[in-house]
Amino acid sequence: MSFGSLPLLRSLDPAAVAAGADLPDAVTVDGVTLSRSDLIGAATSVAERVAQARRVAVLARPTVTTVLAVVGCLIAGVTVVPVPPDSGTAELEHILTDSAAQAWLGDAPEGTGLPVVPVRLHARSWHRYPEPPSDTTAFVLYTSGTTGAPKGVLLSRGAIAAGLDALADAWQWTAKDVLVHGLPLFHVHGLILGLLGPLRVGSPLIHTGKPTPDAYAAAAGTLYFGVPTVWSRVAEDATAAKGLADARLLVSGSAPLPVPVFERLRELTGLTPIERYGMSETMITLSTRADGERRPGWVGVPVAGVQTRLRDEAGAPVPHDGESVGGLQVRGPMLFDGYLGRPEATAACWTEDGWFVTGDVAVIDAEGFHRIVGRESVDLIKSGGFRVGAGEIETALLGHPQVAEVAVVGLPDADLGQRIVAFVVPRDGAPDPLPQDLINHVAQQLSVHKRPREVRLVSSLPRNAMGKVQKKLLN
């Protein structure tokens, strides 16, 4: 089988269910369970109600209603616009207007001006729909809007299938697994990997509603997805962490996993976490492998079908020596088809020879292992003739027992060009660290030129609505 072949939701085969191959616990969301036949029958009923639509909005709460709405649209070949349930008025209006969504499917916010198409959990239809073409747009996913208004990322069915098959290969993910997570259903991590992944592979899904340590431990899965905040909480709860010891893989993504959390998870569970890298535009392009090396702070090698390279500001190649920092560029079958209605923005993120410019800076070693060191716009610091990634310094500082949060930036300096400054939130219950001790801590772990020239203790870091640190406000 080639990557990306077969129907997108290949485990949802009505003929197999009719022949007796049902799965009683195909999807469980916050305690509500749907069998494979429930899912097919109810989602096909949804498909019948939206089959004439072009694009519909789904208020992506973690419920079986959201699952049925998404699956019904995929059966019918209708494009889904997942909407974060906590969207503010301005964000909501922008997404609906920009996407030209024709209706809400399932739940809808109060006061909406769009028609609402209900999702009925107990309705059933056994109509058969042909598999839509692989270039059909499955989702318009909106970016977080850190550099302006959120952009609609166009993801095709073929790209999603290729991306999921590459991950199944890297993680040895099969129908024998039970996936557990409690992630939001409006981004790549929770929606594409966490919902469509099981429906393609055929593994049961348990969505815990909220990603709490107790809920993860109680689910008794084999494969767990989480973001670093989730894993940090698990690592602080020894009882819950030990409850994951019978799992096969713990996968962390969406942000760098602090090395102390990585090591603590390994100590408590006996499992070495899998780390991976991707973005809305590319899905997952890099990952450590179930059958390969896993290093704390590194996101592994390209998944099947993906190529990567590093370039400097002039477009020249950057050596793969594990130290030299360059802009990361990728290409592969799981990349997006562009930004909705924004041809200039789409063109701007591709090179003339067909590579996607991620906007992230990274290092690659001689074995092809990748480490992401931050965003090029705010995390690449040019200090004293060196090119330094802020993320590497942040990871080192997070390993200090008196540090809870940290953001590293480059501030203007007449001598160095930029000086490395660390904004540190001290850990509750511990004495405030001495700035010089933190500087020495970094100098002992990394090259001396990567040490902060200044450490500022702060009570909190500025964040946007999505929780991302707004480094441009640090000065």
Side-chain angles (χ1 to χ4, degrees):
M1 183 193 75
S2 62
F3 285 101
S5 63
L6 302 179
L8 176 57
L9 306 179
R10 69 176 184 227
S11 76
L12 298 184
D13 182 358
V17 172
D22 202 355
L23 186 64
D25 54 354
V27 173
T28 301
V29 183
D30 202 15
V32 180
T33 297
L34 297 174
S35 69
R36 183 179 287 163
S37 60
D38 291 336
L39 190 52
I40 294 170
T44 304
S45 176
V46 170
E48 288 191 344
R49 292 196 290 279
V50 299
Q52 302 305 312
R54 178 167 173 261
R55 198 176 293 151
V56 297
V58 173
L59 195 62
R61 294 173 174 144
T63 65
V64 292
T65 297
T66 295
V67 171
L68 293 175
V70 168
V71 175
C73 286
L74 292 175
I75 289 173
V78 174
T79 300
V80 180
V81 182
V83 178
D86 60 350
S87 295
T89 303
E91 181 184 13
L92 186 62
E93 183 177 357
H94 169 74
I95 291 174
L96 296 179
T97 302
D98 188 71
S99 69
Q102 296 163 287
W104 286 101
L105 180 57
D107 297 336
E110 292 184 8
T112 182
L114 288 180
V116 179
V117 179
V119 170
R120 300 184 177 94
L121 301 187
H122 301 291
R124 297 290 184 269
S125 171
W126 305 108
H127 182 77
R128 296 294 296 272
Y129 285 85
E131 178 71 9
S134 63
D135 60 357
T136 301
T137 299
F139 295 98
V140 181
L141 292 185
Y142 277 83
T143 62
S144 58
T146 54
T147 56
K151 298 187 290 288
V153 174
L154 302 171
L155 293 178
S156 73
R157 300 173 72 93
I160 292 169
L164 293 176
D165 287 352
L167 292 181
D169 170 70
W171 300 341
Q172 299 178 354
W173 185 1
T174 72
K176 295 180 180 179
D177 280 303
V178 175
L179 173 63
V180 177
H181 73 88
L183 301 171
L185 297 181
F186 49 86
H187 286 318
V188 164
H189 198 169
L191 176 61
I192 307 266
L193 277 59
L195 174 58
L196 302 194
L199 296 181
R200 184 163 177 82
V201 171
S203 59
L205 164 65
I206 299 174
H207 190 290
T208 59
K210 295 182 179 179
T212 65
D214 286 346
Y216 271 37
T222 65
L223 177 60
Y224 286 81
F225 290 170
V227 297
T229 301
V230 172
W231 294 124
S232 294
R233 291 170 181 168
V234 170
E236 292 172 356
D237 187 332
T239 301
K242 291 175 182 177
L244 304 184
D246 291 334
R248 191 175 63 82
L249 289 181
L250 310 180
V251 181
S252 181
S254 298
L257 182 67
V259 173
V261 177
F262 183 103
E263 299 291 3
R264 183 65 171 159
L265 284 173
R266 182 158 56 186
E267 174 189 344
L268 291 172
T269 68
L271 301 168
T272 303
I274 288 279
E275 294 189 70
R276 85 302 182 281
Y277 163 82
M279 52 198 305
S280 298
E281 292 89 339
T282 67
M283 289 182 277
I284 307 305
T285 51
L286 301 167
S287 182
T288 50
R289 295 182 59 88
D291 58 357
E293 181 184 2
R294 306 175 207 174
R295 302 179 201 163
W298 295 72
V299 293
V301 297
V303 300
V306 170
Q307 295 173 291
T308 65
R309 69 184 189 184
L310 299 179
R311 291 294 185 265
D312 65 18
E313 291 90 338
V318 172
H320 294 185
D321 56 13
E323 283 288 333
S324 300
V325 177
L328 178 64
Q329 300 178 6
V330 303
R331 63 183 180 186
M334 63 285 294
L335 270 63
F336 74 137
D337 289 330
Y339 297 114
L340 178 64
R342 300 195 183 190
E344 298 85 1
T346 300
C349 61
W350 292 90
T351 64
E352 291 184 357
D353 56 346
W355 292 74
F356 177 73
V357 180
T358 66
D360 286 316
V361 286
V363 300
I364 305 175
D365 73 5
E367 287 76 43
F369 250 63
H370 293 61
R371 179 165 51 79
I372 307 300
V373 295
R375 293 296 291 170
E376 193 162 16
S377 58
V378 293
D379 293 320
L380 181 60
I381 302 171
K382 300 170 188 176
S383 182
F386 294 99
R387 304 168 84 245
V388 180
E392 184 177 22
I393 305 168
E394 290 166 353
T395 296
L397 285 169
L398 286 169
H400 193 284
Q402 292 167 264
V403 173
E405 297 179 82
V406 62
V408 171
V409 299
L411 297 183
D413 186 276
D415 178 42
L416 299 170
Q418 288 182 303
R419 71 182 186 280
I420 301 171
V421 179
F423 291 80
V424 171
V425 179
R427 185 173 295 278
D428 288 341
D432 285 354
L434 296 175
Q436 190 59 49
D437 287 348
L438 296 180
I439 292 171
N440 294 340
H441 176 78
V442 174
Q444 290 166 5
Q445 295 192 45
L446 307 176
S447 301
V448 173
H449 69 265
K450 296 178 181 178
R451 72 191 186 283
R453 299 301 179 117
E454 182 183 351
V455 171
R456 302 182 189 178
L457 301 184
V458 295
S459 60
S460 63
L461 299 174
R463 298 179 182 274
N464 66 11
M466 294 296 293
K468 292 187 176 182
V469 176
Q470 295 181 292
K471 288 191 173 184
K472 292 182 179 179
L473 299 179
L474 297 171
N475 51 51

